[in-house]
Amino acid sequence: MSLVLGVNSAHADASAVLVSSDGIVAAIAEERLSRVKHSAGFPRLAIKEVLRIAGASIDDVTDVAIARDPKANLAAKLRYVATEPKRRIAHALKRLAAHRKAARVAALMADAIGTEERRVRASFHRVEHHLAHIASAYYCSPFEHAAGISVDGAGDFASSMIARCVGRKLEVVHRTLWPHSVGVYYTALSQFIGFGEFG
């Protein structure tokens, strides 16, 4: 059996999904297992659980897709820091440290399932945040073409994306870059009227 493991890691709502050519085999959010709402970090328990549900081992996983690409929108990130370096460089360094930690996915996966890192032989693919949102909806849909729209607080320095989805191709038509964010505006209004951290 050939499987693709999707990993949402290093921020709130960590999760894992296993997909085969037939569609979704198993999916679960880390919070369902850790019992911590909006559980963040590496989804150790979720990875172990989706493999268990599928009756699969790490040897069956041919590809791992990580819903984050530190290189995405790099020029925009550098321009943003350059406009106010004294104020923004500390935050940029903190994000860089988080990216370095998240880059150790093979070692973290091996540790999560209790095996050696050398057994994790899958190909790793970093997918830009909003492209991951759009792909996960479109590729599991019955449609051959669609408009893909993703809007949230921010991810990989973008707060929204519009893509043209045709066949197996996703063509990005537009990105809204940080700090412009309808998602942050929504969260601020939600918190103002009394909802929790994530609106």
Side-chain angles (χ1 to χ4, degrees), residues 1-5 18-26 50-63 121-122:
M1 176 169 36
S2 176
L3 296 170
V4 176
L5 173 65
L18 272 177
V19 181
S20 74
S21 57
D22 296 328
I24 295 172
V25 177
V50 293
L51 287 170
R52 186 196 69 75
I53 291 168
S57 76
I58 196 62
D59 299 321
D60 300 316
V61 177
T62 57
D63 296 88
R121 293 187 298 273

Side-chain angles (χ1 to χ4, degrees), residues 81 103 139 141:
V81 171
Y139 288 137
S141 79

Side-chain angles (χ1 to χ4, degrees), residues 96-145:
L96 190 59
H99 287 311
R100 278 196 193 113
K101 184 179 179 184
R104 298 177 44 244
V105 177
L108 293 168
M109 278 180 52
D111 186 52
I113 60 173
T115 191
E116 297 172 348
E117 186 176 349
R118 64 180 174 77
R119 279 202 55 210
V120 181
R121 293 187 298 273
S123 297
F124 286 80
H125 311 275
R126 299 207 169 268
V127 182
E128 186 179 350
H129 178 88
H130 290 280
L131 206 53
H133 279 311
I134 291 169
S136 67
Y138 174 65
Y139 288 137
C140 292
S141 79
F143 304 112
E144 285 297 318
H145 56 86

